[in-house]
Amino acid sequence: DMFNGYALTFDDSLKALRYQSPELLRYAIDQLLAAAPHDEWALRASAGSLRVLDAGCGTGLCGPLFRNLSSSLAGVDLSENMVALARKRNVYDNLLVGELVEV
């Protein structure tokens, strides 16, 4: 698998490309929470009780950004080496290697 070999340099490559998708996603969610603070999901997010799935979690860049919103944070990725790096972040409750539709 291409990403197994790329895992160790993946985060540095994204940094060089000024990759900001995880931060932009969290920003968008924060804007939604602010716009509707009394919606059920916003209240659950504020209480840290959402169940969050990081599909295609890679090395776990999104994990630290969404941990405080979730009572359960799971990640799935095809690359065993990427998931191993995500596990080192110590923020996920569950990490799985495999196809999203099969796990």
Side-chain angles (χ1 to χ4, degrees):
D1 172 278
M2 176 181 97
F3 287 100
N4 272 330
Y6 191 29
L8 291 177
T9 59
F10 188 74
D11 287 1
D12 289 336
S13 295
L14 292 180
K15 192 178 294 184
L17 294 170
R18 297 183 181 169
Y19 179 78
Q20 297 177 0
S21 292
E23 292 83 2
L24 292 172
L25 181 58
R26 178 55 199 254
Y27 177 78
I29 288 173
D30 287 342
Q31 296 301 304
L32 289 171
L33 292 172
H38 301 294
D39 283 357
E40 179 183 346
W41 77 274
L43 294 171
R44 290 180 56 215
S46 296
S49 63
L50 293 177
R51 294 178 63 197
V52 176
L53 173 62
D54 186 356
C57 67
T59 61
L61 294 173
C62 283
L65 299 173
F66 291 92
R67 175 74 266 182
N68 71 321
L69 300 177
S70 60
S71 61
S72 175
L73 178 59
V76 178
D77 200 274
L78 289 171
S79 169
E80 185 176 339
N81 291 349
M82 293 280 203
V83 169
L85 292 171
R87 189 167 281 114
K88 288 183 178 183
R89 294 183 189 272
N90 292 316
V91 296
Y92 290 90
D93 298 303
N94 194 11
L95 283 163
L96 300 169
V97 176
E99 289 279 351
L100 182 61
V101 296
E102 295 176 3
V103 292

